[in-house]
Amino acid sequence: MRCYKCFRPKEFCLCDFASTPIETGVKFIFLMHPKEAKRQRTGTGRLAHICLADSEILQGLEFSQNARLLELLDNEKYLPVLMYPGSDALTVYDEKFARLLSAKNSEENQNAKTADGVSHSPKILMPLIIDATWFCSRKIIEHNEFLLHLPKLSFAENYSSIFTFKHEPRPECVSTIETCYYLIKELQKAKIIASDIDAEPLMAIFKKLISDQLRAENERIQGLRPSTHGYDWKYNKIREIPSF
């Protein structure tokens, strides 16, 4: 039996970690490849979605005719950006990014700040995050070149993934849920969103996912749990479960 919210097996349900969705003031959009939706239903994009208020998952390979995405991109209250690395990618500290976010509104609005120094912005940041394997991520870009015409946003700092049971192509490649977490932290440092927003539930649910996955894998190797995938034979060494 599976939980119908997080899609984890009932014994590994993670919904308690997302009982109160995080209000960030940022609208996260996850462009989820069909294989991620069907074969990786417990992936980190879905977990990020249940943790983040006002986030949405859009499934597909071709998004140029996706009515919901087009509606969001056409809504002037949002600043859509594609989370994508590259020499032309902005960071949250760039002046150009600040200008895009302020949308050239009145000087009064641009300079207004809250008590903790956070800028009032007339635009709501809307990051588009491709949620797929790295191979399938490239396929989404190939089928949706219009996405590359959006402003690109990347990290100002370097991060390494803690996704210990999954091999990333490069050390700096991070999972979908880590992308959300680190973006929130950088937005806070740049005083674009409030400093008292607690993003830790994202990492808490992610760490629990990793621990549960490794525990189940070790139990399968020890003969305490049946094999469920054809590739299980590749993993035959007991691995240490990190304490984080």
Side-chain angles (χ1 to χ4, degrees), residues 14-32:
L14 297 171
C15 290
D16 285 347
F17 290 84
S19 57
T20 304
I22 307 166
E23 298 278 356
T24 63
V26 176
K27 187 169 184 62
F28 288 91
I29 302 296
F30 303 102
L31 303 180
M32 184 179 288

Side-chain angles (χ1 to χ4, degrees), residues 190-204:
K191 298 188 180 300
I192 293 172
I193 61 175
S195 60
D196 60 354
I197 294 170
D198 183 12
E200 295 309 316
L202 286 165
M203 291 304 286

